[in-house]
Amino acid sequence: MDEVEVVVAHSERATLRVGDVFLKVDADQARIDVEVEAMALVPVPTPEVLWRKPHVLAIAALPGATLGRLGGPSTGSRAAWAAAGAAIRKLHGAPLPPRPGGAGRSVVALGAELDDECELLVANGVLPADLVTRNRQVAEAALRPWTPVFTHGDLQIAHVFVDGDEVTGIIDWSEAGQGDALYDLATFTLGHEEHLDDVIAGYGTDIDLDLDVIHAWWSLRSLLAVRWLVEHGFDPFAPGCEVDVLRARM
């Protein structure tokens, strides 16, 4: 008899696995709708949608395994990371979707949110002031004009599956939409910067990729995530996770 595995769960959403089926339960039906629409549009492998009902989406499991996870070792080869880079480039080259995504917030709104969050991190004693100040300086490079592409919006390495050196699928498209390509690349390599060169090799060196902006997104994403993670029962202070990402910029 198959057991029910809780993949992730917090007050906004939960993902359960039963055998070869994943059940995604989301308090916001719009996120499920975005996910299904995005998977129908993207030119990269995605899970098969089995059925969808209000607040619940059932999808089939993908073959292979993820490249790793934040705070853990990479389980993929350099060639697998390069293959993931090539898949990301293919996604970014697709026709634009109709709406902005998680990687598409305006520079003005993002800067204001970042300033407010940095103030709260220091005022509440979550992080030392010097760590926040330094990473706020690094994050500034991400707040610049960018050309929108089709982005995943939450492209953590745990969302990319490979079998050998082949990408078998990408999951969790609820933040998909128009956005900054470098945000996707930074999210994918967060905590695994030793593989950034491999990803760029697969993505292609025929366009200018500003590494300072990728580093800036590492800082910006981590600063915005720390307090939310703590409040929802996760540990951004674990080795290799968001706080270590911030410390690496000192």
Side-chain angles (χ1 to χ4, degrees), residues 2-190:
D2 290 321
E3 294 182 348
V4 176
E5 175 191 355
V6 179
V7 179
V8 63
H10 50 78
S11 59
E12 295 178 5
R13 65 187 84 172
T15 300
L16 310 175
R17 179 171 186 169
V18 185
D20 289 332
V21 176
F22 285 90
L23 296 176
K24 302 189 68 174
V25 183
D26 200 314
D28 185 351
Q29 177 65 35
R31 283 195 291 251
I32 291 177
D33 295 339
V34 168
E35 180 158 7
V36 173
E37 291 168 10
M39 288 193 292
L41 293 173
V42 295
V44 296
T46 61
E48 177 189 359
V49 175
L50 301 176
W51 50 264
R52 171 175 42 153
K53 294 187 177 181
H55 297 287
V56 184
L57 173 65
I59 59 176
L62 288 168
T66 65
L67 277 167
R69 61 180 178 80
L70 183 62
S74 166
T75 55
S77 66
R78 294 185 62 182
W81 282 85
I88 297 169
R89 177 66 180 273
K90 192 172 183 179
L91 168 65
H92 290 170
L96 287 175
R99 60 175 64 87
R105 287 174 288 175
S106 77
V107 169
V108 173
L110 195 59
E113 180 184 355
L114 180 61
D115 287 338
D116 290 344
E117 190 61 32
C118 287
E119 183 177 342
L120 286 170
L121 287 169
V122 175
N124 294 336
V126 180
L127 293 175
D130 60 340
L131 184 64
V132 173
T133 299
R134 170 56 183 157
N135 278 276
R136 177 61 183 85
Q137 293 169 347
V138 173
E140 185 68 25
L143 304 176
R144 87 286 177 221
W146 41 268
T147 301
V149 300
F150 199 140
T151 52
H152 180 282
D154 189 24
L155 197 60
Q156 305 172 44
I157 58 171
H159 293 162
V160 178
F161 282 72
V162 296
D163 188 359
D165 298 335
E166 178 184 357
V167 175
T168 57
I170 300 175
I171 65 172
D172 284 2
W173 293 87
S174 62
E175 301 294 328
Q178 298 181 27
D180 180 0
L182 298 190
Y183 179 90
D184 268 358
L185 290 171
T187 302
F188 184 62
T189 54
L190 184 75

Side-chain angles (χ1 to χ4, degrees), residues 199-250:
V199 173
I200 290 175
Y203 190 87
T205 56
D206 56 317
I207 61 173
D208 183 26
L209 295 177
D210 191 331
L211 296 184
D212 287 340
V213 174
I214 292 177
H215 298 163
W217 276 121
W218 288 341
S219 290
L220 198 158
R221 181 181 170 96
S222 297
L223 286 169
L224 292 182
V226 167
R227 197 166 57 89
W228 184 94
L229 290 167
V230 170
E231 291 174 353
H232 288 78
F234 300 99
D235 186 8
F237 291 86
C241 292
E242 284 81 2
V243 175
D244 274 354
V245 171
L246 296 173
R247 288 170 179 154
R249 307 272 74 81
M250 298 296 286

